């Protein structure tokens, strides 16, 4: 298998082209995989996409035109923020296909057209107007808690019911999943989750119309960092030396994280006070009894003050003879 880095390749759909030769693109790694042949011999489906805002600017229509005359098109997908929003299936259609998709949110959309080989095109929608105003619209800063003020805009059709929910997806939730009510001007908060979340709003009017819209993403971090301990028993068998490291995939670690080192006998119920607290990532527990089970624990915090810990349980110090 070829494993050239994709940065060195021209990427087209799920195909990577290197020096005129085409390879399958394994995006999950990401690496270049199976050889497909010379790039000039491959036939990609042709894609065109246009965007037109509705008269009230509340939605935008994406018009997709696609064709692949030799083997035909079997599927078209609409993607946003790494998630599939919609899928249209075809039976190897060789004629030109025109498909419309109505988008409610601004942002970048990727159209994927599948034939024998997949091709894609990304477009950006700007200028759509939602029925509510979010203050702020989103927040990329990693925090334990986020809040947003939601203001319902004045319309001719009076809003009689407003509900909200937070989800970790850009895929529009169903009407029945909205359970929390709010009033225009309320501040809606969220905490206790980790990842990218969106605030979704459902509005119902006197005339029986419904509208669903969402905010931009809010970044939440309520997960502690991953702590790794590497241990080594000293030659004389009276101490344990450990090296620790920590990483956090959300907010990240501060430049010099503080580590807390604890040790206790297995027979003890609590760890008690840390033997050492500081920025050193190496520590030696000295003066330990031989043939005793010990538990070791190390804790630290990320930039959002989330605590991460790692434990070594039932570590036995065996008596060793001193080296001559």
């Amino acid at each position: 298998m070829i494993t050239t880095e994709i940065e060195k390749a021209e990427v087209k759909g799920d195909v990577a082209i290197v020096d005129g030769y085409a390879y399958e693109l394994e995006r999950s790694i990401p690496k270049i995989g199976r050889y497909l042949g010379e790039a000039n011999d491959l036939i990609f489906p042709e894609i065109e996409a246009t965007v037109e805002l509705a008269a009230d600017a509340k939605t935008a229509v994406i018009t997709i035109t696609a064709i692949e005359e030799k083997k035909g098109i079997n599927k078209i997908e609409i993607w946003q923020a790494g998630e599939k929003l919609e899928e249209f299936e075809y039976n190897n259609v060789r004629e030109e296909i025109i498909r419309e998709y109505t988008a409610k949110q601004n942002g970048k959309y990727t159209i994927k057209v599948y034939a024998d080989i997949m091709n894609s095109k990304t477009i950006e929608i700007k200028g759509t107007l939602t029925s509510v105003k979010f203050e702020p619209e989103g927040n990329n800063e990693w925090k334990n808690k986020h809040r947003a003020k939601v203001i319902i805009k004045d319309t001719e059709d009076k809003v009689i019911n407003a509900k909200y929910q937070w989800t970790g997806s850009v895929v529009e939730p169903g009407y029945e999943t909205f359970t929390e009510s709010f009033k225009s001007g309320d501040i809606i908060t969220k905490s206790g989750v980790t990842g990218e979340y969106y605030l979704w709003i459902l509005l119902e009017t006197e005339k029986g119309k419904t509208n669903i819209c969402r905010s931009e993403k809010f970044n939440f971090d309520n997960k502690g960092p991953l702590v790794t301990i590497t241990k080594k028993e000293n030659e004389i068998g009276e101490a344990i030396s450990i090296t620790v490291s920590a990483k956090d995939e959300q907010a990240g670690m501060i430049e010099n994280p503080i580590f807390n080192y604890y040790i206790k006998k297995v027979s003890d119920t609590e760890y008690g006070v840390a033997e050492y607290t500081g920025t050193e990532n190496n520590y030696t527990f000295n003066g330990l009894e031989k043939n005793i089970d010990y538990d070791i624990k190390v804790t630290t915090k990320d930039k959002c003050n989330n605590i991460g810990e790692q434990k070594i349980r039932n570590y036995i110090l065996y008596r060793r003879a001193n080296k001559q």
Side-chain angles (χ1 to χ4, degrees):
M1 178 181 290
I2 305 297
T3 57
T4 306
E5 296 290 343
I6 62 171
E7 286 81 0
K8 302 176 182 178
E10 175 191 352
V11 177
K12 192 172 184 180
D14 280 340
V15 175
I17 300 172
V18 182
D19 297 329
Y21 296 97
Y23 303 86
E24 278 186 345
L25 179 60
E26 299 179 5
R27 293 181 179 273
S28 60
I29 302 177
K31 296 288 184 180
I32 293 172
R34 182 172 63 92
Y35 174 67
L36 298 175
E38 293 190 16
N40 292 335
D41 295 334
L42 300 182
I43 300 175
F44 291 87
E46 298 178 13
I47 312 170
E48 291 293 335
T50 60
V51 176
E52 183 177 355
L53 286 175
D56 59 6
K58 291 183 179 180
T59 60
V61 175
I62 303 174
T63 302
I64 304 160
T65 304
I67 188 169
E68 204 284 82
E69 295 177 325
K70 289 198 172 182
K71 295 188 176 181
I73 292 171
N74 55 70
K75 185 169 57 175
I76 295 176
E77 295 175 344
I78 314 294
W79 288 69
Q80 187 181 40
E83 294 188 79
K84 183 168 62 176
L85 304 179
E86 189 67 86
E87 177 181 310
F88 308 101
E89 293 188 354
Y90 300 92
N91 186 21
N92 299 322
V93 175
R94 293 178 172 83
E95 295 80 25
E96 182 179 79
I97 295 173
I98 298 176
R99 165 68 67 171
E100 290 186 347
Y101 175 79
T102 301
K104 298 180 180 179
Q105 300 289 147
N106 291 321
K108 293 183 178 181
Y109 291 76
T110 298
I111 297 97
K112 297 183 179 182
V113 178
Y114 294 83
D116 187 41
I117 296 173
M118 186 273 283
N119 197 7
S120 64
K121 185 179 184 68
T122 298
I123 60 171
E124 186 171 8
I125 294 177
K126 298 179 180 180
T128 60
L129 303 176
T130 60
S131 300
V132 301
K133 181 180 180 182
F134 298 94
E135 296 178 350
E137 293 183 353
N139 195 326
N140 289 327
E141 182 181 355
W142 293 99
K143 293 183 177 183
N144 301 125
K145 177 190 291 186
H146 282 287
R147 60 185 63 198
K149 185 176 183 179
V150 182
I151 301 172
I152 302 173
K153 298 178 181 178
D154 292 332
T155 59
E156 294 181 0
D157 193 1
K158 183 180 179 182
V159 173
I160 59 172
N161 193 16
K163 295 181 179 180
Y164 74 91
Q165 66 172 300
W166 294 84
T167 79
S169 172
V170 295
V171 177
E172 184 176 296
Y175 297 116
E176 69 284 354
T177 63
F178 288 85
T179 57
E180 300 292 332
S181 299
F182 76 99
K183 302 184 299 296
S184 181
D186 281 357
I187 295 176
I188 299 173
T189 62
K190 181 69 174 177
S191 62
V193 296
T194 296
E196 298 176 353
Y197 276 73
Y198 302 84
L199 177 54
W200 289 90
I201 302 297
L202 167 65
L203 301 179
E204 297 175 331
T205 69
E206 281 186 331
K207 295 181 180 179
K209 294 182 179 180
T210 57
N211 181 36
I212 295 177
C213 59
R214 66 165 171 82
S215 68
E216 297 301 319
K217 71 176 180 179
F218 290 83
N219 287 337
F220 291 86
D221 185 6
N222 287 281
K223 182 179 179 181
L226 175 65
V227 181
T228 302
I229 301 176
T230 303
K231 65 180 183 296
K232 180 182 180 181
E233 183 179 340
N234 286 18
E235 292 294 339
I236 61 174
E238 295 177 349
I240 304 171
S241 296
I242 62 173
T243 300
V244 300
S245 62
K247 65 178 181 179
D248 186 82
E249 296 181 350
Q250 286 79 40
M253 303 297 296
I254 62 175
E255 185 174 352
N256 294 300
I258 302 296
F259 294 101
N260 303 291
Y261 295 83
Y262 302 84
I263 192 167
K264 73 176 183 67
K265 295 178 181 179
V266 171
S267 57
D268 295 335
T269 57
E270 302 292 337
Y271 276 97
V273 179
E275 286 213 0
Y276 171 76
T277 295
T279 58
E280 296 293 331
N281 68 333
N282 296 281
Y283 186 72
T284 298
F285 297 96
N286 291 298
L288 304 180
E289 300 178 40
K290 301 173 184 65
N291 300 321
I292 296 294
D293 289 356
Y294 285 95
D295 289 342
I296 294 172
K297 179 176 74 171
V298 178
T299 67
T300 189
K301 295 180 180 180
D302 62 15
K303 288 182 178 179
C304 285
N305 284 322
N306 299 306
I307 298 175
E309 71 173 37
Q310 179 65 288
K311 295 178 180 178
I312 302 175
R313 299 188 61 82
N314 300 325
Y315 188 83
I316 303 176
L317 267 174
Y318 294 103
R319 182 180 296 278
R320 294 187 182 187
N322 291 339
K323 281 192 170 182
Q324 300 298 322

